[in-house]
Amino acid sequence: METPNASNFLETIIAEDLAAGRVQTVVTRFPPEPNGYLHIGHAKSISVNFGLAETFGGRCNLRFDDTNPEKESQEYIDSIQEDVRWLGYNWDGEVRFASSYFQQLYDWAVYLVEQGHAYVCDLNAEQAREYRGTLTEPGRNSPFRDRSVQENLDLLARMKAGEFAEGAKVLRAKIDMASPNMNLRDPILYRIRKVPHHQTGDSWVIYPTYDFAHGQEDAIEGITHSVCTLEFEDHRPLYDWFIEHLPVTARPRQYEFGRLNPSYTITSKRKLKQLVDDGVVAGWDDPRMPTIAGMRRRGFTPAAIRRFCKMIGTTRSDGVVDVAMLEFAIREDLNENAPRAMCVLDPLKVVLTDYPQDKVEELLAARHPSRTELGERIVPFTRELYIDADDFREEANKKYKRLVLGKRVRLRNAYVIEAVDVVKDAAGKVLEVHARTIPDTLGTDPADGIKPKGVIQWVSASLGKRATVRLYDRLFNHESPDKGDRDFMAHINPDSLRVVEQAWVEPALVRALPEQGFQFEREGYFVADRYDHSEQAPVFNRTIGLRDSWAEQGGAGE
RNA sequence: UGGGGUGUCGCCAAGCGGCAAGGCACCAGGUUUUGAUCCUGGCAUUCGGAGGUUCGAAUCCUCCCACCCCAGCCA
């Protein structure tokens, strides 16, 4: 068998395990807790886990790590499955739930008690913290640590039966209160929570902790490589301890990689939830959110997200990835695949005084500049048009390549025109531009040799359609909005959303399907809103602007 | 001041003792009916620092420094 070309440390490990015969088939899992929507950081984890299975011809499970019913809900379970599928991944078999292993987990807890490896502790949370010691001082043994097996068995059964109040008792592993690794100072296995569970209803009043559940879930499912993020590294000795002390039939191994931290972004479910709850954004799927659902609504494609995840690599170092890389990924995809169209965001009327009043020419325009197979669309040309106010100036220096009074410009996919006059209001504001069309300039330069310097987009004033365009920008104006103890709420970008209620788009655009993406030439990439767009009331979201070296040079400021 | 990690170009990242890949960003040209795309070229005598081993070190050894994670009955 050919050894796959290892391109990251996990692939190297797996390739060696396969080569050494330690595992026959690679089985990984993506194990989200259903307590929030998936975000870009999860996309990386999904890419890593499903990607590993794919690379080595193995399997990847989707398992909900639902051991804490208080924070979880069906809404999250549904959204997570939808997001994973949307990203283009298929999990092996049915969706799994940690909760479906509750009985097995409980039986193993009983086993540990029988072996003298676990005990019921009556310390309350505060006392437990005191007994635990600190990072530099060892903890002290709980006064309940030496209860008899018989008493522990009885107490555990009564915990399960609901005889005790929440917080009154916990089940703990008997390991080492002096361990320098805090996770080994008699960790808690079960706590009492008298709340119904979204999957198991009220059949349980005690729930296993992450530490007692995760590795065993992996063992039950035959996971060979349990991949998680760096902060769980200290938990690995405990993960291994349970596997070694329990009669499990498989031997999963945990490996950790560095989580994704994109700049100008937060990826904490708690904080994202706060943005939603405080109304800073319209919901988990607000296009400004770094959630999968939000990015989807923003116009990102699964391919671009997957590409980005591959691009950033998988390592054990933990840093901040420039969002510019994510932006590159979506631009690359959309540049290649999005049909072109014309949209005017800040309309300024242009009247072609030499063009017949009722004449309409149905011009043909390529859907894509290089992919001719995408065909053409019809764009109506009329006497009155809209161009962007920013594309006209009464006077300008030679660096300005748009329409200037007395000068020419190419109307994209149409004629070259020359501005001959302006109409202003009392305050001197330009209301409309009068221009003339240069004859025979469709698809060719002017016969007189005076070539226009630039090209601008336009929309027929009489046949174009009105549309709502939402211009999104990054949600935070700080590169690391929540690093350290920074208050991320103080770094919200107040201009993260600008709604243009009366943009003009070429008529064909109103028939766009929801979620269809376009490049509005010279503006950026846009998508018909997944929920709000309709032919009668078109709504487009800006996914990302075009690269703009003109603006970068300060051109916009001239 | 305990334990566990990580340090290669502004950012991500290859490299695993033989003479510093690649991508993003940036800069300079060229093409262009999108100031986009595309194309070309530039961008680490140096790998957190200091010693040491070696003919040879980003790669091995020693010490030091910086940053991240851990004291939830969260995951």
Side-chain angles (χ1 to χ4, degrees):
Chain A
M1 181 183 147
E2 196 181 336
T3 305
N5 189 20
S7 68
N8 71 46
F9 78 101
L10 292 171
E11 291 180 0
T12 302
I13 289 168
I14 291 175
E16 287 171 358
D17 286 345
L18 250 16
R22 279 189 289 274
V23 301
Q24 306 308 314
T25 304
V26 175
V27 186
T28 58
R29 102 269 90 116
F30 173 59
E33 184 190 9
N35 65 345
Y37 278 60
L38 259 28
H39 55 64
I40 185 68
H42 294 107
K44 177 180 179 181
S45 177
I46 290 167
S47 168
V48 169
N49 281 295
F50 281 91
L52 249 17
E54 194 175 79
T55 300
F56 294 96
R59 304 189 298 270
C60 182
N61 292 351
L62 171 62
R63 178 176 78 229
F64 287 104
D65 215 353
D66 55 348
T67 56
N68 184 12
E70 282 168 305
K71 295 178 179 172
E72 302 161 5
S73 76
Q74 190 61 43
E75 176 194 358
Y76 299 133
I77 290 173
D78 295 340
S79 72
I80 288 168
Q81 294 185 62
E82 181 179 8
D83 290 346
V84 173
R85 274 199 216 96
W86 179 75
L87 281 173
Y89 293 103
N90 298 301
W91 51 88
D92 185 64
E94 294 299 304
V95 171
R96 331 272 167 137
F97 290 88
S99 52
S100 60
Y101 312 136
F102 279 173
Q103 184 59 48
Q104 172 68 82
L105 256 9
Y106 178 78
D107 291 344
W108 277 333
V110 169
Y111 177 87
L112 245 25
V113 169
E114 289 169 344
Q115 299 295 308
H117 291 316
Y119 63 96
V120 172
C121 178
D122 297 2
L123 255 26
N124 63 35
E126 192 183 334
Q127 294 168 320
R129 193 183 325 124
E130 286 166 18
Y131 273 81
R132 191 154 37 230
T134 69
L135 294 177
T136 52
E137 300 163 282
R140 289 138 53 210
N141 284 169
S142 162
F144 305 98
R145 201 173 198 258
D146 296 315
R147 288 215 255 228
S148 70
V149 167
Q150 212 39 246
E151 185 182 6
N152 282 320
L153 249 17
D154 173 63
L155 257 15
L156 177 57
R158 289 165 61 193
M159 277 172 66
K160 178 176 185 288
E163 286 188 31
F164 309 114
E166 283 192 13
K169 286 179 166 48
V170 293
L171 181 71
R172 304 175 71 175
K174 191 185 291 186
I175 305 181
D176 178 10
M177 288 306 291
S179 172
N181 182 343
M182 301 294 287
N183 296 121
L184 265 20
R185 319 247 263 225
D186 288 10
I188 291 170
L189 276 44
Y190 270 95
R191 69 288 213 193
I192 300 170
R193 283 288 174 280
K194 298 190 172 176
V195 295
H197 186 285
H198 48 95
Q199 300 301 309
T200 59
D202 50 14
S203 44
W204 293 88
V205 294
I206 59 174
Y207 292 96
T209 55
Y210 164 84
D211 285 311
F212 185 61
H214 206 93
Q216 284 75 273
E217 295 163 11
D218 287 337
I220 290 169
E221 295 181 7
I223 302 300
T224 54
H225 301 263
S226 182
V227 180
C228 60
T229 44
L230 252 24
E231 67 270 29
F232 290 100
E233 192 156 16
D234 288 343
H235 293 247
R236 193 171 62 222
L238 182 53
Y239 181 105
D240 290 338
W241 190 91
F242 286 126
I243 294 298
E244 283 157 14
H245 291 260
L246 256 13
V248 295
T249 55
R251 176 67 225 243
R253 299 269 178 187
Q254 174 183 306
Y255 299 93
E256 312 85 19
F257 68 92
R259 74 181 321 143
L260 167 64
N261 304 113
S263 58
Y264 296 97
T265 306
I266 58 172
T267 50
S268 147
K269 276 195 270 188
R270 198 206 97 224
K271 289 170 184 169
L272 291 174
K273 187 170 191 302
Q274 192 182 334
L275 293 174
V276 174
D277 292 344
D278 291 4
V280 174
V281 294
W284 283 99
D285 66 350
D286 184 295
R288 291 164 294 183
M289 291 284 272
T291 51
I292 303 300
M295 293 197 298
R296 175 178 181 174
R297 202 167 170 192
R298 175 78 170 255
F300 276 77
T301 59
I305 294 171
R306 281 194 252 108
R307 174 76 212 288
F308 169 71
C309 291
K310 297 290 184 199
M311 207 168 13
I312 59 176
T314 309
T315 68
R316 287 177 60 83
S317 66
D318 134 84
V320 174
V321 172
D322 193 340
V323 277
M325 249 191 256
L326 216 207
E327 296 176 348
F328 169 82
I330 186 59
R331 283 197 186 104
E332 181 184 48
D333 184 0
L334 264 16
N335 174 56
E336 176 72 17
N337 300 306
R340 310 290 127 121
M342 293 194 285
C343 168
V344 171
L345 293 173
D346 184 11
L348 170 63
K349 182 169 284 185
V350 171
V351 179
L352 301 173
T353 53
D354 60 339
Y355 200 87
Q357 194 73 241
D358 299 316
K359 183 175 178 183
V360 176
E361 279 182 273
E362 296 199 325
L363 303 179
L364 250 28
R367 289 210 172 85
H368 194 282
S370 57
R371 297 181 57 187
T372 53
E373 77 274 18
L374 261 34
E376 299 177 309
R377 84 265 189 192
I378 291 171
V379 188
F381 188 84
T382 56
R383 173 185 167 94
E384 296 197 354
L385 313 168
Y386 287 117
I387 65 170
D388 198 279
D390 206 38
D391 287 339
F392 172 76
R393 289 189 192 176
E394 290 186 74
E395 46 188 52
N397 64 30
K398 42 260 142 245
K399 287 169 70 177
Y400 186 79
K401 303 202 302 185
R402 311 174 189 184
L403 186 61
V404 178
L405 190 56
K407 301 280 180 44
R408 295 177 178 181
V409 78
R410 158 74 65 182
L411 291 179
R412 175 71 167 157
N413 299 127
Y415 296 96
V416 171
I417 63 169
E418 184 174 292
V420 297
D421 197 10
V422 290
V423 177
K424 300 180 182 179
D425 65 10
K429 181 174 186 279
V430 176
L431 296 179
E432 57 182 55
V433 176
H434 285 1
R436 71 183 183 97
T437 57
I438 308 301
D440 302 320
T441 49
L442 278 181
T444 158
D445 286 331
D448 61 12
I450 305 175
K451 288 169 60 172
K453 283 199 301 191
V455 183
I456 63 174
Q457 80 277 20
W458 55 277
V459 171
S460 164
S462 52
L463 298 173
K465 305 288 186 182
R466 283 191 176 188
T468 295
V469 176
R470 299 165 176 160
L471 302 176
Y472 293 102
D473 200 353
R474 43 184 62 148
L475 227 202
F476 295 97
N477 50 27
H478 191 290
E479 190 175 323
S480 311
D482 63 344
K483 192 177 182 353
D485 49 14
R486 256 197 278 280
D487 172 19
F488 69 101
M489 284 297 199
H491 298 293
I492 301 281
N493 173 11
D495 303 314
S496 61
L497 169 59
R498 199 185 116 218
V499 180
V500 176
E501 302 284 2
Q502 302 204 347
W504 287 87
V505 296
E506 57 176 85
L509 232 30
V510 301
R511 291 192 305 274
L513 267 18
E515 296 203 81
Q516 195 176 350
F518 297 89
Q519 182 196 103
F520 288 172
E521 290 188 285
R522 301 209 316 129
E523 290 290 354
Y525 297 98
F526 294 76
V527 66
D529 189 83
R530 187 181 174 189
Y531 300 115
D532 302 334
H533 173 83
S534 70
E535 186 165 346
Q536 294 68 39
V539 178
F540 295 93
N541 300 332
R542 180 170 69 192
T543 308
I544 185 76
L546 253 26
R547 259 196 74 225
D548 188 352
S549 57
W550 166 249
E552 283 164 12
Q553 287 165 25
E558 269 186 61

